[in-house]
Amino acid sequence: MSGQPLAGRVAVVTGGTSGIGLALVRGLADAGADVVPMSRRKEQVDAAASEVESRGRRAARVTADVSDRASLEAALVQTLAQLEHVDILVNCAGITKRRPTLDVTDEEWGAILETNLTGTLRACQVFGRHMLERGSGRIINIASLASFVGLFEVAAYTASKAGVAGLTRALAVEWGGHGVNVNAIAPGVFRTALNTALLDGTERGKEFLLRTPMGRFGKVEELAGACVFLASDASSFVNGEILTVDGGFLASGVNQ
């Protein structure tokens, strides 16, 4: 793909003000989309929106919390008032916490499932309704390696991301015939401000690196191409797919 395959499109990115979400916001804007980088904190939304505008695209400054349906509904109204329509939804809001499963409380389990899985569903419902009414749209959920394999001492996160994969397939079946393609990206191990100490200073980090055949961790901007592809006309017949961007992690058996 070259040029600006998303020119004239409007993309909403939940969790779009940091880490992977912000990288996808930048990539969508560089591909020509107007972008709404949503999160709960106004100052972070303002900063991300300014990045979109610095790329010559329009941005709406909208705060929302995926655990609050009313805030998502208000975000849709605000987005439509400023940018007229929504063509693309990217669901990046997510949390995790490492803890031995026997020690996980109901509250911890519920909070992770609430944000990662139910929050994704809420955003799909609120913005998906608008897309279905228009007869077109692209939804891109963020899955995980944990959608496919178990990760040590993050049972709630693993369950939530397996759920995101299942939800993606279910919505693809239900909405694909009505012009709304639903897919997901499953990132491998990407270096962010939150996980650098883990990746560089622990045995867990060493194992992640060993299991990645390319011999390095991903850079968050390397996820943008997959997102732009799934948001563009180039993927017009791709529906219900979970596109893994992991340097070969899931393909690996014995690496030496």
Side-chain angles (χ1 to χ4, degrees), residues 5 117 214:
L117 180 55
M214 289 183 69

Side-chain angles (χ1 to χ4, degrees), residues 118-137:
T118 310
T120 294
L121 170 66
R122 278 194 199 92
C124 286
Q125 288 176 318
V126 170
F127 290 92
R129 184 182 301 277
H130 166 74
M131 294 177 181
L132 290 165
E133 289 170 351
R134 299 182 71 230
S136 67

